Amino acid sequence: MPMQRIASVDIVRGIVMVIMALDHTRDLMHITALTQDPVNLQTTTAAIFLTRWITHLCAPIFVFLSGTSAFLSMKKTNDTQETSRFLLKRGFWLIVLEFTAINFGIWFDIYFHVLMQQVICAIGFGLMMLGLLVRFQTKWIALLGVTIVAAHNILQGVQFGTNVVLDNVWAVFFRPKFISVSPDFAFLVSYPLVPWLGIMLCGFACGRLFELTEEHRRRMFIRIGVGLLLLFVVFRFWNIYGDPAHWSVQVSPIFTVLSFINLTKYPPSLLFASVMLGIMFLLLAALEGKKNFLTDVLTIYGSVPLFYYLAHWYLLRTVLLVLIFSQGFGLADLNFGMMTFGLPKKWVGYELPAVYGVWFSVVLILFPLCRWYGRYKQAHKGNWLLRYI
């Protein structure tokens, strides 16, 4: 029997989509966004750190649930070959979107001085790999995924010396790198492909949990979530394997706690993935069978993730232009240089409360757009293009 759409998946995905907009609002509009690392304990504040930290949930959950959705889609059609073809095409389409419409939305640079390989490209690559792997038994996909998540940090120190080409290719797959191609063009590897592939493969394999009854899978989610968080605490406390950045006692108890949870996202370490996915599993358990006004709203966001992702960048850009012009700048002041986000050179951003206000406004504006698109997509299920957006 084909599987029905799982409400808790859409709700959790909706949560992370809403949180994601906060991170990107901060990137574009916070007063220290271009000058300060929000998780650098020497320069940050607890409020800025936690604003950034909570958004760490987004990418691993988004990637993991993309794998889960691929599994549910396969079970819905009961056609492995068709699923394989669809995943290959959709993955390729996402990669094309990444380096065109999405990169423009991020940088607002009509000259494309920088191309960034980030989460949508990682998802696209992961879907293409799943398209090749769906013919294998789920247990082997699970084993590969867990192995990548647990062991890829061992490879982070691998470099190729003077062989620049090989080193750059390695970076695309395994570690972040800013690749300067020319004085006017660079390629930024923000999301190396293989570590995120591991998370997606785990998500695909965990799709089998949704074949269980609601109560059974709720218990499984709690066990897995608690287990992942315990793994994090034990490994992190002793500063043993799992994250290249060790924690240490800081000048205050709160900053010591922040040091303890300050984990490596680029690429996602074992402990980073354990914490974020552990929280995700507990959220899935808590939201199984829940239906109220808030879950209905979150479901609307979570059921159209790519549409939301594209729309939120361009809405943020529109809001930012209004704010830039309100400070007296004109079109001629927009700076399309390397890593400038199109911001004027004398741009002054906003403090954190104002960032939160813009974020909340953007999320509210997106609600009717996402609801309209969700309804339109439901009413036009025969439109093949809508399967890709």
Side-chain angles (χ1 to χ4, degrees), residues 56 121 139 156 173 177 210 225 229 234 243 273 333 343 373:
H56 281 337
C121 179
K139 65 180 180 181
Q156 293 310 305
F173 289 96
K177 186 177 182 182
F210 290 94
L229 293 177
V234 171
D243 196 282
D333 297 307
L343 296 171
Y373 182 71

Side-chain angles (χ1 to χ4, degrees), residues 105-372:
I106 293 171
W107 301 112
F108 203 54
D109 182 0
I110 59 175
Y111 303 109
F112 285 85
H113 287 101
V114 178
L115 284 181
M116 180 164 64
Q117 174 183 300
Q118 51 103 48
V119 67
I120 300 301
C121 179
I123 291 174
F125 173 78
L127 292 179
M128 293 184 73
M129 292 302 298
L130 270 176
L132 301 176
L133 294 170
V134 288
R135 295 175 176 83
F136 293 89
Q137 290 183 315
T138 306
K139 65 180 180 181
W140 298 118
I141 295 176
L143 179 61
L144 178 59
V146 170
T147 300
I148 291 173
V149 171
H152 76 84
N153 279 126
I154 298 173
L155 303 174
Q156 293 310 305
V158 175
Q159 297 191 23
F160 294 90
T162 57
N163 193 328
V164 176
V165 174
L166 188 57
D167 194 64
N168 289 342
V169 171
W170 180 265
V172 167
F173 289 96
F174 288 101
R175 60 181 171 82
K177 186 177 182 182
F178 184 85
I179 302 171
S180 181
V181 179
S182 74
D184 297 315
F185 177 71
F187 188 81
L188 175 58
V189 180
S190 183
Y191 282 67
L193 301 176
V194 171
W196 293 100
L197 171 64
I199 292 176
M200 179 174 283
L201 296 181
C202 290
F204 181 87
C206 282
R208 297 197 71 89
L209 296 176
F210 290 94
E211 296 180 308
L212 305 174
T213 64
E214 185 178 291
E215 185 56 37
H216 191 184
R217 67 176 178 250
R218 179 188 290 114
R219 292 197 298 268
M220 289 296 297
F221 290 156
I222 292 173
R223 292 171 185 168
I224 296 171
V226 171
L228 287 172
L229 293 177
L230 286 176
L231 181 150
F232 157 72
V233 171
V234 171
F235 275 70
R236 187 62 167 167
F237 182 79
W238 294 107
N239 268 334
I240 53 180
Y241 181 79
D243 196 282
H246 291 178
W247 72 280
S248 61
V249 175
Q250 301 293 309
V251 294
S252 68
I254 183 63
F255 269 72
T256 298
V257 172
L258 298 184
S259 176
F260 193 81
I261 63 173
N262 192 12
L263 303 165
T264 304
K265 178 183 179 182
Y266 303 105
S269 69
L270 169 62
L271 297 189
F272 175 90
S274 296
V275 170
M276 302 306 157
L277 297 181
I279 293 172
M280 179 203 68
F281 277 110
L282 295 182
L283 284 173
L284 284 170
L287 293 167
E288 279 289 345
K290 293 292 188 297
K291 183 171 176 57
N292 52 50
F293 174 77
L294 182 57
T295 59
D296 288 346
V297 169
L298 292 171
T299 297
I300 287 172
Y301 292 122
S303 61
V304 291
L306 183 57
F307 176 83
Y308 176 100
Y309 189 86
L310 287 165
H312 99 283
W313 274 117
Y314 284 87
L315 179 56
L316 276 173
R317 278 297 177 183
T318 302
V319 172
L320 183 58
L321 277 178
V322 172
L323 294 175
I324 288 172
F325 295 153
S326 72
Q327 289 191 10
F329 296 103
L331 286 174
D333 297 307
L334 300 182
N335 181 13
F336 298 114
M338 192 84 70
M339 306 289 288
T340 61
F341 291 99
L343 296 171
K345 292 182 179 179
K346 295 183 179 180
W347 161 256
V348 177
Y350 296 88
E351 297 289 354
L352 208 54
V355 169
Y356 272 84
V358 173
W359 162 64
F360 186 70
S361 300
V362 164
V363 171
L364 282 181
I365 294 170
L366 285 171
F367 177 76
L369 293 175
C370 291
R371 182 175 57 184
W372 166 81

